[in-house]
Amino acid sequence: MCKLFLACLLVCVMPLTSSYALSHVRLTQHAAPFSSAELDIVRAHLLENIATENKPVIKDDGGHVIHSIPGAVLASPSNRGPRFGQDYQFHWIRDAAITMQAVVSMYAQASTEGKRLLKPYLLNYVNFEHKVQSQPSRPGEDTFGQPKFNIDGTVWDGPWGRPQNDGSALRAITMMQIAQLLLAEGDEQFVRDVMQPMITSDLAYTVYHWQESHFDLWEEVNDVDHFFTKMVQRKALMLGADYLRLMGNQTFADTCLNVSRQLSDSINRHWNDVRGYYSETIYQQHNKGGGMDSAILLGVLLGEVGENDDAFSVSNDRVISSVFYLRNAFAVLYSINLDHPDAPPLLGRYPSDVYDGDQSIYGNPWVLTTNALAEYYYRLAGAYLKQGKITITKPTLLLFRQIQPQLATKEETILALDEPAKFYAIVNALIQEGDHLIALIKQYSVCYNEYSCYHLSEQIDRASGKQVSASDLTWSYASLLAASHSRDELLKQIIIH
Ligand code: NOJ
Ligand code: NOJ
């Protein structure tokens, strides 16, 4: 293993740099697009959108005032204004769960002092969702399928696309991550008394409703088949089965495992062999994001279960092929991409999207989907490092050549130990591609004043590169932190080997 490490440094990193001091080489060549001090600023932007005891949000809701309770995660502080017709001052179950996954990983890496500051965010989130789960919904609606809540934890009952069934599954995943941290710290009572019933209820909702019609993560398409939803439901149930077994509930654990297998079969039916990608729905492939959609990429990133998750893992051929076609579709779409043919493209939600947060005149690239592509490249590089080999098949060849035309020439298997130069050239190229995307996100971020930079909205104008739509979108920050975290994990592998 030590040899592998040296081989990597000598063969792959050195030729890319002008310096010969190994430690220096490692650091400079792998300098991240955002320094750790800059990422701290990004973390602060994310936390800024979460209500606490000392930092409540007071929302003017067209005449009446709503006071937040701690743990409310605003999707964005934006509420109807010039060039923005929407109100994002809600706690969306999906956005909040994804955001809190970023907080969980911040917590796991924090110093003792950092943990002390972050722990209230975890507990507040649990308490907020605890209130949410017990709220009544209108007749015929299920609270577990409600997409968004007021910042005081009450159901928002205006007209919306409901139910949305990814939220409850994502919440279960986040809750299990928090439970794991708390159990490791000896907080078993809180986990058993408060969290376990919540987790079980979310898993039960998934078990009993996964075959029902619901809206997709973009809140637009109503269907029984959504790739993204199924991927996160499947993960929730697989993790849930392990968790329930640990907590002594063998019978429900078996049920969860059984349904997760049915979900795997069902997800397989999303493969479109003619087009070469997973499609978001099966029967509405021409309606909005029902076909080619970044939701596939997000579904894989948020739904992959460990390294051995062959069927839908980042290094699976079908996933690789889907990412290839997704990137291709966006590369020719926006003028900002067409004007920079040498840079990887910024991704939107799906090609025919027109949602711009206002008049829905034209769709734009999104920060969170572009960060997701970067995260994908980092995680693919990480998977290859773990496997110690790269199997180049037809789709892999396409994906590698899309990054660098000379990166791969034929279908073959490259073992890290036998052909380190070839192996690490590919790993490095994937890391650099991820870095390039994150550097673009950084370049397009804005400063509000000289002391406050790296602000990210929901979208980037497809022509001017300006941040548009909801400002300071919490999920944009979470996706940047997730990508950066994957990069750190990957580099740890190189350094530890
Ligand atoms: C349509 C958008 O595409 C969707 O994402 C948004 O949440 C809803 N409109 C609500 O405005
Ligand atoms: C619109 C997005 O399409 C949806 O995924 C998200 O949950 C909401 N905005 C809130 O950020």
Side-chain angles (χ1 to χ4, degrees):
M1 276 310 173
C2 180
K3 266 195 215 137
L4 195 67
F5 168 46
L6 275 181
C8 170
L9 283 183
L10 291 169
V11 179
C12 328
V13 183
M14 283 201 42
L16 297 170
T17 173
S18 54
S19 169
Y20 293 93
L22 281 188
S23 56
H24 178 70
V25 170
R26 199 163 71 206
L27 293 173
T28 51
Q29 192 51 47
H30 286 293
F34 279 83
S35 69
S36 66
E38 289 165 344
L39 283 179
D40 279 342
I41 298 175
V42 173
R43 291 184 185 102
H45 291 336
L46 177 140
L47 294 177
E48 187 60 32
N49 288 349
I50 306 179
T52 61
E53 196 82 39
N54 301 327
K55 196 178 47 76
V57 179
I58 298 166
K59 173 173 174 178
D60 176 1
D61 196 30
H64 85 284
V65 169
I66 304 182
H67 291 265
S68 65
I69 59 169
V73 179
L74 263 67
S76 144
S78 292
N79 195 346
R80 296 180 190 96
R83 288 183 302 279
F84 186 69
Q86 306 282 318
D87 176 2
Y88 271 47
Q89 293 182 354
F90 288 103
H91 176 104
W92 262 268
I93 302 300
R94 164 181 44 257
D95 296 46
I98 293 170
T99 299
M100 292 310 295
Q101 288 184 16
V103 178
V104 164
S105 96
M106 277 158 70
Y107 185 85
Q109 297 160 73
S111 61
T112 314
E113 175 58 9
K115 283 194 165 56
R116 196 183 62 75
L117 294 171
L118 287 171
K119 193 152 186 182
Y121 286 91
L122 300 180
L123 299 178
N124 288 343
Y125 170 67
V126 175
N127 291 329
F128 189 93
E129 296 292 353
H130 189 252
K131 173 169 182 185
V132 153
Q133 282 194 344
S134 68
Q135 294 301 299
S137 283
R138 281 188 308 209
E141 285 176 7
D142 193 317
T143 297
F144 285 78
Q146 293 291 355
K148 60 178 195 175
F149 289 76
N150 292 310
I151 55 176
D152 61 1
T154 55
V155 171
W156 187 76
D157 58 9
W160 211 252
R162 339 178 142 74
Q164 291 180 22
N165 290 349
D166 57 327
S168 165
L170 283 164
R171 176 170 59 201
I173 296 169
T174 310
M175 287 291 163
M176 286 186 272
Q177 292 177 352
I178 296 174
Q180 207 173 3
L181 290 178
L182 296 182
L183 285 174
E185 290 176 1
D187 263 341
E188 196 175 336
Q189 180 129 29
F190 181 73
V191 173
R192 277 203 186 272
D193 294 352
V194 180
M195 300 186 70
Q196 195 168 327
M198 294 174 67
I199 294 169
T200 311
S201 306
D202 274 331
L203 297 175
Y205 181 74
T206 298
V207 161
Y208 298 115
H209 297 274
W210 72 274
Q211 286 159 302
E212 293 170 12
S213 208
H214 62 279
F215 281 82
D216 66 318
L217 82 169
W218 309 135
E219 318 190 287
E220 295 180 330
V221 178
N222 195 5
D223 204 293
V224 285
D225 294 299
H226 288 297
F227 182 93
F228 178 86
T229 307
K230 289 181 195 174
M231 283 294 287
V232 295
Q233 288 180 324
R234 170 178 167 274
K235 176 169 176 172
L237 294 180
M238 286 170 81
L239 298 184
D242 289 344
Y243 176 79
L244 291 164
R245 207 162 289 132
L246 186 77
M247 298 311 242
N249 191 345
Q250 183 67 44
T251 316
F252 194 44
D254 290 346
T255 308
C256 288
L257 202 59
N258 183 17
V259 175
S260 77
R261 295 199 177 113
Q262 295 177 47
L263 273 158
S264 299
D265 291 343
S266 177
I267 300 169
N268 267 317
R269 294 177 38 238
H270 286 249
W271 176 248
N272 184 326
D273 205 33
V274 177
R275 298 199 186 159
Y277 54 79
Y278 282 117
S279 65
E280 220 291 307
T281 66
I282 299 174
Y283 301 111
Q284 294 197 61
Q285 295 194 32
H286 298 287
N287 180 19
K288 292 183 173 271
M292 151 91 61
D293 195 316
S294 293
I296 306 306
L297 180 56
L298 293 169
V300 168
L301 297 178
L302 288 159
E304 189 185 37
V305 189
E307 299 141 36
N308 302 322
D309 186 22
D310 301 335
F312 311 107
S313 67
V314 291
S315 62
N316 173 273
D317 264 2
R318 287 181 169 183
V319 170
I320 288 178
S321 184
S322 304
V323 175
F324 166 79
Y325 284 109
L326 188 68
R327 172 169 163 165
N328 249 3
F330 284 107
V332 295
L333 202 55
Y334 306 131
S335 61
I336 200 164
N337 290 335
L338 292 165
D339 290 348
H340 302 97
D342 296 331
L346 308 181
L347 299 195
R349 298 195 299 185
Y350 54 90
S352 64
D353 193 10
V354 291
Y355 176 63
D356 52 21
D358 196 33
Q359 307 289 323
S360 287
I361 294 169
Y362 65 52
N364 292 304
W366 280 46
V367 173
L368 72 96
T369 47
T370 304
N371 284 334
L373 183 60
E375 180 178 344
Y376 178 76
Y377 290 136
Y378 293 143
R379 282 175 53 177
L380 184 58
Y384 289 147
L385 280 172
K386 275 210 183 106
Q387 292 159 15
K389 74 168 184 203
I390 301 173
T391 309
I392 306 189
T393 55
K394 274 202 189 74
T396 341
L397 201 56
L398 289 174
L399 184 106
F400 292 166
R401 286 182 165 170
Q402 191 179 43
I403 293 173
Q404 268 174 36
Q406 333 72 354
L407 195 57
T409 49
K410 58 174 193 294
E411 292 180 41
E412 61 179 326
T413 296
I414 304 170
L415 296 177
L417 283 175
D418 291 352
E419 297 180 279
K422 266 187 174 174
F423 180 86
Y424 288 104
I426 292 172
V427 169
N428 269 322
L430 288 168
I431 300 174
Q432 284 180 350
E433 198 72 347
D435 286 354
H436 200 156
L437 284 158
I438 300 294
L440 291 173
I441 290 294
K442 186 177 188 183
Q443 179 192 323
Y444 293 122
S445 71
V446 285
C447 296
Y448 289 170
N449 57 53
E450 70 180 290
Y451 305 106
S452 187
C453 286
Y454 311 123
H455 288 278
L456 296 167
S457 300
E458 179 186 74
Q459 305 178 24
I460 297 172
D461 185 275
R462 68 201 269 167
S464 69
K466 287 210 174 82
Q467 296 287 321
V468 288
S469 192
S471 61
D472 289 296
L473 190 87
T474 320
W475 190 354
S476 293
Y477 297 126
S479 63
L480 175 55
L481 294 173
S484 304
H485 181 66
S486 305
R487 188 185 193 282
D488 289 346
E489 292 296 301
L490 148 83
L491 291 192
K492 264 191 220 154
Q493 287 187 59
I494 301 184
I495 290 161
I496 291 164
H497 275 107

Coordinates of all heavy atoms in Angstrom, one line a residue, residues 27-54:
L27 N 0.8 19.2 -1.9 CA -0.1 20.3 -1.5 C -0.4 21.2 -2.6 O -1.6 21.6 -2.8 CB 0.6 21.0 -0.3 CG 0.7 20.2 1.0 CD1 1.5 20.9 2.0 CD2 -0.7 19.9 1.5
T28 N 0.6 21.6 -3.4 CA 0.3 22.6 -4.4 C -0.6 22.0 -5.5 O -1.5 22.6 -5.9 CB 1.6 23.2 -5.0 OG1 2.4 22.1 -5.4 CG2 2.3 24.1 -4.1
Q29 N -0.2 20.8 -5.9 CA -0.9 20.3 -7.1 C -2.4 20.0 -6.7 O -3.2 20.1 -7.5 CB -0.2 19.0 -7.5 CG -0.8 18.5 -8.9 CD -0.7 19.7 -9.9 OE1 0.3 20.4 -10.0 NE2 -1.8 19.9 -10.6
H30 N -2.6 19.7 -5.4 CA -3.9 19.4 -5.0 C -4.6 20.5 -4.3 O -5.5 20.3 -3.5 CB -3.9 18.1 -4.2 CG -3.7 16.9 -5.1 ND1 -4.7 16.5 -6.1 CD2 -2.7 16.0 -5.2 CE1 -4.2 15.4 -6.7 NE2 -3.0 15.1 -6.2
A31 N -4.1 21.7 -4.5 CA -4.7 22.8 -3.8 C -6.2 22.9 -4.2 O -6.6 22.9 -5.4 CB -4.0 24.1 -4.2
A32 N -7.0 22.9 -3.2 CA -8.5 22.9 -3.5 C -8.9 24.2 -4.0 O -8.3 25.3 -3.6 CB -9.2 22.5 -2.2
P33 N -10.0 24.3 -4.8 CA -10.5 25.6 -5.3 C -10.9 26.5 -4.1 O -10.7 27.7 -4.3 CB -11.7 25.2 -6.1 CG -11.6 23.7 -6.4 CD -10.7 23.1 -5.3
F34 N -11.5 26.0 -3.1 CA -11.8 26.8 -1.9 C -10.8 26.4 -0.8 O -10.7 25.2 -0.5 CB -13.2 26.6 -1.4 CG -14.3 27.3 -2.2 CD1 -14.7 26.8 -3.4 CD2 -14.8 28.5 -1.7 CE1 -15.7 27.4 -4.1 CE2 -15.8 29.2 -2.4 CZ -16.3 28.6 -3.6
S35 N -10.1 27.4 -0.2 CA -9.2 27.1 1.0 C -10.1 26.7 2.2 O -11.3 27.0 2.1 CB -8.4 28.3 1.3 OG -9.3 29.3 1.8
S36 N -9.5 26.2 3.2 CA -10.4 25.8 4.3 C -11.0 27.1 5.0 O -12.1 27.0 5.5 CB -9.7 24.9 5.3 OG -8.6 25.6 5.9
A37 N -10.2 28.2 5.0 CA -10.8 29.4 5.5 C -12.0 29.9 4.7 O -13.0 30.4 5.2 CB -9.8 30.5 5.6
E38 N -11.9 29.7 3.4 CA -13.0 30.1 2.5 C -14.2 29.2 2.7 O -15.4 29.6 2.7 CB -12.6 30.1 1.0 CG -11.6 31.3 0.7 CD -10.9 31.1 -0.6 OE1 -10.8 30.0 -1.1 OE2 -10.3 32.1 -1.1
L39 N -13.9 27.9 2.9 CA -15.1 27.0 3.2 C -15.8 27.3 4.5 O -17.0 27.1 4.6 CB -14.6 25.6 3.2 CG -14.3 24.9 1.8 CD1 -13.8 23.5 2.0 CD2 -15.6 25.0 0.9
D40 N -15.0 27.8 5.5 CA -15.6 28.3 6.7 C -16.6 29.4 6.5 O -17.7 29.4 7.1 CB -14.6 28.8 7.7 CG -13.9 27.6 8.4 OD1 -14.4 26.5 8.4 OD2 -12.8 27.8 9.0
I41 N -16.3 30.2 5.5 CA -17.3 31.3 5.1 C -18.5 30.7 4.5 O -19.7 31.1 4.9 CB -16.6 32.3 4.2 CG1 -15.4 33.0 4.9 CG2 -17.6 33.3 3.7 CD1 -14.6 33.9 4.0
V42 N -18.3 29.7 3.7 CA -19.5 29.0 3.1 C -20.3 28.3 4.2 O -21.6 28.4 4.2 CB -19.0 27.9 2.0 CG1 -20.1 27.1 1.5 CG2 -18.3 28.7 0.9
R43 N -19.7 27.7 5.1 CA -20.4 27.0 6.2 C -21.2 28.1 7.0 O -22.3 27.8 7.4 CB -19.4 26.4 7.2 CG -18.7 25.2 6.6 CD -17.8 24.4 7.5 NE -17.1 23.4 6.8 CZ -15.9 23.4 6.4 NH1 -15.1 24.5 6.7 NH2 -15.3 22.4 5.7
A44 N -20.6 29.2 7.2 CA -21.3 30.3 7.9 C -22.5 30.8 7.1 O -23.6 31.0 7.7 CB -20.4 31.5 8.2
H45 N -22.4 30.8 5.8 CA -23.6 31.2 5.0 C -24.7 30.2 5.2 O -25.9 30.5 5.2 CB -23.2 31.3 3.5 CG -22.3 32.4 3.2 ND1 -22.2 33.6 3.9 CD2 -21.5 32.6 2.1 CE1 -21.3 34.4 3.4 NE2 -20.9 33.8 2.3
L46 N -24.3 28.9 5.2 CA -25.3 27.9 5.4 C -26.0 28.0 6.7 O -27.2 28.0 6.8 CB -24.7 26.5 5.2 CG -25.6 25.3 5.4 CD1 -25.3 24.2 4.3 CD2 -25.4 24.7 6.8
L47 N -25.2 28.1 7.8 CA -25.8 28.2 9.1 C -26.7 29.4 9.3 O -27.6 29.4 10.1 CB -24.7 28.2 10.2 CG -23.9 26.8 10.3 CD1 -22.8 27.0 11.3 CD2 -24.8 25.6 10.6
E48 N -26.3 30.5 8.6 CA -27.0 31.7 8.7 C -28.5 31.5 8.3 O -29.4 32.3 8.8 CB -26.4 32.7 7.6 CG -26.9 34.1 7.6 CD -26.7 34.8 9.0 OE1 -25.7 34.5 9.7 OE2 -27.5 35.7 9.3
N49 N -28.8 30.5 7.5 CA -30.2 30.3 7.1 C -31.0 29.4 8.0 O -32.1 29.0 7.7 CB -30.3 29.7 5.7 CG -29.9 30.8 4.6 OD1 -29.8 32.0 4.9 ND2 -29.7 30.3 3.4
I50 N -30.4 29.0 9.1 CA -31.0 28.1 10.1 C -31.4 28.9 11.3 O -30.5 29.5 12.0 CB -30.2 26.9 10.4 CG1 -29.7 26.2 9.1 CG2 -30.9 25.9 11.3 CD1 -28.8 25.0 9.3
A51 N -32.7 28.8 11.7 CA -33.1 29.6 12.9 C -32.6 28.9 14.1 O -32.6 27.7 14.2 CB -34.7 29.6 12.9
T52 N -32.2 29.7 15.1 CA -31.8 29.2 16.4 C -32.6 30.0 17.5 O -33.3 30.9 17.1 CB -30.3 29.4 16.7 OG1 -30.0 30.8 16.7 CG2 -29.5 28.7 15.7
E53 N -32.4 29.6 18.7 CA -33.0 30.3 19.8 C -32.6 31.8 19.8 O -33.5 32.7 19.9 CB -32.4 29.7 21.1 CG -33.2 30.0 22.4 CD -34.4 29.0 22.5 OE1 -34.3 27.8 22.2 OE2 -35.4 29.5 23.0
N54 N -31.3 32.0 19.6 CA -30.8 33.4 19.6 C -31.0 34.2 18.3 O -30.8 35.4 18.2 CB -29.3 33.5 20.0 CG -29.1 32.8 21.3 OD1 -29.9 32.9 22.2 ND2 -27.9 32.1 21.4

